[in-house]
Amino acid sequence: MKDVAQHVTVLLAEAVDALNIQPGGIYVDGTYGRGGHSRLILERLGKDGRLIALDRDLAAIETARAITDPRFCICHRSFAGLRQALQELSIAKVDGILLDLGISSPQIDEAERGFSFRFDGPLDMRMDTSKGQTAAEWLAQVSEDELREVIKSYGEERFAKQIARAVVAARAGEPVVTTRQLAELVAKAVPRREPGQDPATRTFQAIRIFLNQELEELSLVLPQCLDLLAPGGRLVTIGFHSLEDRIVKRFMQGEVNRDTLPSRLPVRADQLPQPRMRLIGKALRPSAAEVAANPRCRSAVMRVAERTGVA
């Protein structure tokens, strides 16, 4: 259980408070991680409540299996498969869904996972190590144009062209298979560094997001959440960069403001599409005290929406 002690759950109380836990309700933790949110949800559930957790990381699954609470169930799959997971459990509706997006501290801190340039390790970057290409395998065959587009789109890196060219040139002489190799290539290719940020930050983020299809998976699960939430049920998301937060924000606002008809169209108010969700509070960020205790949470943004009774 060493990982559990090392992992600091971001916005722990705030996220679980936002779920508005009902003792006999059914809840989903779409990204179990090391179980911080799940354990607090279980503390607040009554004896008839249920918690279904999902994660595609095998290390997270192993940690979750230590929980013997009969109200708890862990599923090895991405949250994009939420609907199927609940169908297999004969669950039609739930009372709350929590999505803690991005990457966990244990994933970053384990050199063999290849997520971080702070440690020298194999370039893996897969959240689910049981399938899919590693970052090293992908870098060995990706075209310069595709690599540039991935780094630019998913990392919002202005020097994507220079970085892609440097990686493709380097692999002609030696395969790029370690985090240190990639970080050094990026550092040499980036002419100017942002204050307080390693030059490899955006490139590592971009490759990780692309390989794990993080934005695509998020776009797939959000409509499922809408369908699976019972009236009054809440969707709580915690995002860590602008790309994923933008997807969540647009989705929630789109369900709140469904009136897309031309402004001068003669229709009655009761003929307008009614909102299927309502926003709960404003976007919330970690307090100064939480950021001081856990600097990795500084970019976190929590958003909350509640399902209405409109079909």
Side-chain angles (χ1 to χ4, degrees):
M1 302 294 287
K2 182 180 179 182
D3 287 340
V4 176
Q6 291 178 335
H7 179 60
V8 180
T9 304
V10 176
L11 292 166
L12 174 58
E14 293 88 343
V16 177
D17 287 347
L19 283 172
N20 192 29
I21 301 292
Q22 304 302 308
I26 303 175
Y27 295 87
V28 172
D29 183 350
T31 43
Y32 177 83
R34 290 303 180 268
H37 289 119
S38 281
R39 286 191 295 275
L40 185 54
I41 292 170
L42 286 170
E43 286 181 16
R44 298 190 182 182
L45 280 176
K47 62 182 179 62
D48 296 322
R50 294 184 69 182
L51 173 61
I52 295 87
L54 294 82
D55 209 297
R56 49 179 165 171
D57 190 315
L58 291 171
I61 297 299
E62 182 181 357
T63 302
R65 284 176 178 154
I67 297 180
T68 58
D69 192 318
R71 302 170 300 167
F72 176 76
C73 174
I74 182 69
C75 304
H76 179 216
R77 67 176 70 204
S78 161
F79 55 53
L82 175 59
R83 190 193 308 278
Q84 183 178 350
L86 294 182
Q87 285 176 346
E88 292 172 359
L89 295 168
S90 300
I91 297 173
K93 295 290 182 180
V94 298
D95 299 292
I97 299 171
L98 171 62
L99 302 175
D100 186 359
L101 307 170
I103 190 171
S104 69
S105 291
Q107 289 172 325
I108 296 172
D109 292 338
E110 294 171 5
E112 63 271 20
R113 301 300 299 272
F115 286 113
S116 176
F117 46 78
R118 295 192 299 115
F119 312 102
D120 190 24
L123 266 175
D124 192 315
M125 293 197 189
R126 293 172 298 165
M127 289 186 175
D128 185 348
T129 54
S130 68
K131 60 184 179 182
Q133 273 189 317
T134 66
E137 290 168 342
W138 181 70
L139 286 174
Q141 52 81 38
V142 66
S143 70
E144 183 178 327
D145 286 345
E146 184 182 1
L147 180 56
R148 180 188 69 244
E149 187 58 32
V150 165
I151 296 172
K152 178 181 177 181
S153 299
Y154 293 101
E156 299 179 298
E157 172 59 75
R158 55 181 170 157
F159 300 115
K161 182 176 181 179
Q162 294 94 320
I163 294 168
R165 182 183 300 143
V167 171
V168 171
R171 79 183 183 195
E174 181 182 7
V176 182
V177 296
T178 71
T179 54
R180 180 170 295 167
Q181 281 179 288
L182 180 58
E184 289 177 351
L185 284 170
V186 174
K188 292 176 182 177
V190 174
R192 292 186 297 278
R193 304 184 183 209
E194 297 178 38
Q197 185 180 86
D198 189 286
T201 299
R202 294 179 182 274
T203 296
F204 271 68
Q205 171 187 295
I207 295 174
R208 186 203 88 216
I209 291 174
F210 172 77
L211 280 181
N212 293 288
Q213 298 291 285
E214 293 178 39
L215 302 185
E216 291 80 2
E217 302 256 310
L218 178 58
S219 296
L220 286 171
V221 76
L222 291 173
Q224 295 179 48
C225 293
L226 180 70
D227 292 341
L228 293 166
L229 281 169
R234 292 192 177 176
L235 171 62
V236 180
T237 68
I238 303 173
F240 289 84
H241 57 76
S242 60
L243 295 174
E244 60 192 10
D245 183 57
R246 196 175 303 143
I247 291 172
V248 172
K249 182 179 179 180
R250 287 176 177 171
F251 174 79
M252 289 183 173
Q253 290 182 338
E255 293 302 331
V256 170
N257 304 307
R258 298 181 66 205
D259 178 12
T260 57
L261 297 174
S263 60
R264 296 184 179 181
L265 193 67
V267 295
R268 300 192 309 270
D270 61 357
Q271 293 176 313
L272 294 173
Q274 298 302 303
R276 294 187 292 191
M277 302 192 94
R278 68 183 186 94
L279 300 180
I280 303 297
K282 297 181 179 180
L284 180 68
R285 295 183 179 273
S287 66
E290 183 171 3
V291 172
N294 178 22
R296 286 177 177 171
C297 78
R298 62 185 177 277
S299 62
V301 180
M302 186 180 84
R303 296 186 184 274
V304 186
E306 185 176 279
R307 186 70 162 94
T308 67
V310 177

